[in-house]
Amino acid sequence: MRCFLQAKIHRARLTGTHVDYEGSLAVCPSLLQASGLLPNERVDVYNVDNGERLTTYIIEGESGEIALNGAAALKGAVGERIIIASYAWLTNQEMREHTPRVVLVSEDNRVREVKG
């Protein structure tokens, strides 16, 4: 088995950082639905503006919300752009048929386009 990109939310804007919270990443429900990502799913977060990277899990946020919580909040600032990515282990057969889902996001964290 090999590990491949499963889903990605591309260049969402951070709307909040909350250090005094039990760690996680709050994600807008419409972005979760469009990407197929689920609450409690492990994700990697890549900060486009400062180069920080971290691994955490998703919780469902409010409409338009993308917020780093707990220690992860120290890895970004409101207004910075992030990429949220999940990965899946695939067999040789699954690799040939796999297409990741990529959600391109507008400046206000709305779904602009879904690929895959």
Side-chain angles (χ1 to χ4, degrees), residues 71-90:
L74 301 174
K75 302 283 188 179
V78 171
E80 290 182 338
R81 297 165 298 162
I82 63 170
I83 296 168
I84 303 163
S86 71
Y87 298 87
W89 290 93
L90 304 176

Side-chain angles (χ1 to χ4, degrees), residues 37-109:
L37 295 171
L38 298 172
N40 300 308
E41 185 169 354
R42 178 183 172 165
V43 292
D44 289 336
V45 179
Y46 312 123
N47 189 316
V48 174
D49 293 314
N50 70 16
E52 292 283 356
R53 293 172 165 248
L54 65 111
T55 299
T56 190
Y57 63 94
I58 291 174
I59 61 171
E60 187 173 314
E62 301 295 323
S63 180
E65 180 181 25
I66 300 288
L68 290 171
N69 298 310
L74 301 174
K75 302 283 188 179
V78 171
E80 290 182 338
R81 297 165 298 162
I82 63 170
I83 296 168
I84 303 163
S86 71
Y87 298 87
W89 290 93
L90 304 176
T91 65
N92 286 337
Q93 179 63 36
E94 291 168 326
M95 288 177 223
R96 288 187 274 272
E97 301 165 5
H98 177 70
T99 302
R101 184 176 290 180
V102 177
V103 178
L104 303 177
V105 179
S106 68
E107 290 284 323
D108 60 352
N109 289 337

